[in-house]
Amino acid sequence: MSRFKYNEVYDYIKNEIESNQLSYGARLPSIRNASELFRVSRTTVQNAYFTLAADGYIFSEPQSGYYVSRQGSGNTVKTEAAMPQEAIKFDFTSSSADAESFDFNLWRRYMKNALRQDERLLSYSEAQGEPELREAIAEYIYEKRNVAASPDRIVIGAGVQSLLGILCSLINDRGTVSFPDKSFEQGAALFADYGFEVHYRDKDAGIIYVSPSHMTRWGEVMPNKRRRELVRHSAQTGSLVIEDDYESDFLYNTRPTPSLHALSGGSNVIYLGSFSRLLLPSIRISFMVLTQELADKYRKCLFKYSQTASKAEQLALCSFIRDGHLKAQIRKTRRFYTAKARAFAQLLEKRLENSSIEISENALQIIITAPFNKKAVAFEKNGVSVFIEELKNNKITIVISVASIPEKEFEEAAERLCKALK
């Protein structure tokens, strides 16, 4: 399966929606029918649908299918079949940051200092990433997560997706890869595009992708016992484990947990980390710790790759880390977002009866299970967007995040969400 075919399906449906050829509320062909229509595999269609849903173009109605969740910008004649829609005012699925969580002036100073390094900025960034940043990251992950890795095994890129692309190109055997669940849409789509067979919760897969601090959409944390079992399984079977340490710095309700990389001694474990969640989503700097074998292979074909992360941002981040500001930012961000989640959960508890309201283990998501006898479009009609985890037997489970919603708007956001649920 090629990247082109996957993008072709995604772009075709996206363009149909944006041009209003597919109106709001229109039902998409089933995965099976779309597979025949586009002459591609069902996995390709499924991954395209997952990505369209993640980007907010469609939503899934359990036991029914996929429906358009966005009104296009093109001119069209309204019909009786078209459902009314209010613009989404509160996006509870957003991973955007709150402006109060970050010191823009401090970061601006480090960027200005980086931009003064005239000689450094006259050349392209090294394909593997700036050496001093890789050194700073090596020190940081050893102190923070007990991940022992030399800088020459660290690869820097603009986001985890770009790094996974490099990793896929280094793996010769296009076998099976397993993900914890279907909320890992983009990762699953990328591996499928490279020819891997995507499975879910398959312990016998050749590659096992896990995010121990965020195993599911609702922020489930992998227990220590399960971590040790996975490390032993990898050692016994030779399977490669990809440890995406997403949100490990936000574990507030649980005791610190060891990284899989540390438990395994680095054997058969690829370690992934990112600074976008800790700093700003727009600062696209992530890193990957390769095994020694893959690192040697990577350096032999280094000429094939180019650096995707900004050189100036890499230089700024290096100084930011070494001056101790990243540690302070972690403490500040963790307190800030966990306090927001708790405050919003309290507002919901006052408004929702006969409902379960829980804060996730990493204290960033809120899981709501409530009676519900409407259609899923009730949320869009009330100007809110949510992740629907389950909808059956007149009961709904949704997962929300209030990270990007200003606290001054919590009352209105809670009212709209509760109105959609009641």
Side-chain angles (χ1 to χ4, degrees):
M1 155 188 342
S2 68
R3 183 183 298 271
F4 174 75
K5 286 183 178 178
Y6 158 72
N7 283 340
E8 185 178 49
V9 175
Y10 174 91
D11 289 339
Y12 178 84
I13 297 175
K14 176 183 173 182
N15 291 336
E16 290 288 285
I17 293 172
E18 291 186 337
S19 64
N20 276 315
Q21 299 304 306
L22 284 172
S23 60
Y24 178 72
R27 188 176 188 274
L28 269 63
S30 68
I31 291 176
R32 177 181 178 180
N33 290 340
S35 172
E36 297 174 355
L37 176 66
F38 291 105
R39 296 183 179 179
V40 295
S41 72
R42 295 185 189 182
T43 302
T44 300
V45 175
Q46 186 177 51
N47 289 329
Y49 278 14
F50 282 162
T51 308
L52 285 163
D55 291 347
Y57 287 99
I58 64 176
F59 67 91
S60 173
E61 187 78 61
Q63 310 301 322
S64 179
Y66 287 90
Y67 295 83
V68 177
S69 61
R70 181 180 297 190
Q71 185 72 42
S73 56
N75 295 324
T76 185
V77 177
K78 293 185 178 180
T79 67
E80 291 182 359
M83 292 181 289
Q85 180 193 32
E86 180 174 342
I88 300 299
K89 183 171 183 180
F90 297 109
D91 186 357
F92 289 102
T93 70
S94 174
S95 57
S96 299
D98 189 315
E100 294 184 24
S101 70
F102 190 69
D103 188 340
F104 285 91
N105 289 329
L106 177 63
W107 179 251
R108 198 172 288 117
R109 290 206 302 271
Y110 279 93
M111 282 299 298
K112 287 181 178 178
N113 289 336
L115 291 172
R116 292 191 185 102
Q117 301 182 43
D118 297 356
E119 291 298 320
R120 295 288 300 275
L121 297 178
L122 291 174
S123 60
Y124 290 105
S125 176
E126 293 192 17
Q128 193 168 345
E130 293 306 293
E132 56 262 63
L133 177 57
R134 287 188 279 117
E135 291 173 3
I137 290 174
E139 296 170 4
Y140 164 74
I141 58 178
Y142 181 69
E143 179 183 353
K144 191 74 179 174
R145 302 292 289 140
N146 198 27
V147 173
S150 58
D152 65 345
R153 285 172 49 202
I154 296 175
V155 181
I156 294 170
V160 168
Q161 287 290 95
S162 65
L163 295 174
L164 288 178
I166 293 174
L167 179 59
C168 286
S169 71
L170 295 174
I171 300 174
N172 293 327
D173 182 14
R174 298 293 197 268
T176 56
V177 57
S178 174
F179 288 85
D181 64 23
K182 293 185 178 181
S183 66
F184 291 75
E185 297 105 334
Q186 294 182 346
L190 187 143
F191 273 90
D193 287 345
Y194 273 92
F196 291 86
E197 186 176 334
V198 176
H199 293 188
Y200 296 94
R201 291 187 177 273
D202 180 3
K203 64 181 180 62
D204 296 322
I207 301 173
I208 301 175
Y209 189 107
V210 290
S211 185
S213 299
H214 195 106
M215 285 292 292
T216 58
R217 201 189 299 280
W218 58 84
E220 182 182 2
V221 178
M222 181 185 288
N224 285 339
K225 180 181 178 182
R226 171 63 181 134
R227 294 174 190 240
R228 290 191 293 269
E229 290 174 350
L230 180 55
V231 168
R232 283 197 299 269
H233 174 77
S234 173
Q236 292 169 359
T237 63
S239 58
L240 181 67
V241 175
I242 301 175
E243 179 183 13
D244 185 343
D245 213 20
Y246 178 68
E247 291 190 350
S248 66
D249 290 304
F250 292 95
L251 294 184
Y252 193 84
N253 290 343
T254 60
R255 294 180 180 180
T257 52
S259 68
L260 297 174
H261 190 283
L263 289 173
S264 69
S267 175
N268 286 349
V269 177
I270 304 292
Y271 182 86
L272 292 171
S274 177
F275 298 100
S276 298
R277 190 74 166 117
L278 296 173
L279 303 177
L280 292 173
S282 57
I283 301 176
R284 302 292 291 165
I285 299 181
S286 300
F287 62 92
M288 172 172 63
V289 179
L290 294 170
T291 62
Q292 190 61 58
E293 179 184 358
L294 288 175
D296 293 340
K297 185 176 181 180
Y298 170 78
R299 283 191 296 275
K300 287 179 182 178
C301 55
L302 194 59
F303 65 92
K304 292 167 41 178
Y305 307 103
S306 60
Q307 181 52 244
T308 53
S310 160
K311 188 173 188 177
E313 287 188 348
Q314 289 185 65
L315 297 174
L317 179 58
C318 176
S319 299
F320 189 86
I321 294 173
R322 288 184 165 167
D323 289 348
H325 294 299
L326 182 60
K327 294 178 184 177
Q329 177 65 19
I330 290 172
R331 292 192 295 270
K332 174 184 177 181
T333 306
R334 183 170 55 202
R335 289 194 301 265
F336 181 76
Y337 284 123
T338 54
K340 287 187 69 175
R342 288 173 177 172
F344 197 79
Q346 290 175 358
L347 288 177
L348 296 179
E349 288 170 353
K350 296 177 181 177
R351 291 169 167 80
L352 292 176
E353 298 178 354
N354 303 318
S355 301
S356 169
I357 300 168
E358 300 179 52
I359 296 178
S360 64
E361 289 185 78
N362 61 18
L364 294 177
Q365 285 79 33
I366 301 173
I367 306 101
I368 305 168
T369 301
F372 191 78
N373 55 9
K374 306 177 183 179
K375 293 289 186 181
V377 292
F379 296 101
E380 283 80 5
K381 288 180 179 179
N382 283 280
V384 298
S385 178
V386 300
F387 277 123
I388 299 177
E389 190 63 36
E390 188 174 67
L391 174 56
K392 64 180 182 180
N393 299 327
N394 291 328
K395 184 174 287 188
I396 191 170
T397 298
I398 62 173
V399 182
I400 66 171
S401 169
V402 294
S404 64
I405 300 176
E407 289 189 65
K408 63 182 179 180
E409 298 181 11
F410 269 15
E411 289 285 347
E412 182 185 354
E415 283 294 333
R416 285 176 177 253
L417 180 60
C418 292
K419 185 179 178 182
L421 285 167
K422 291 181 177 179

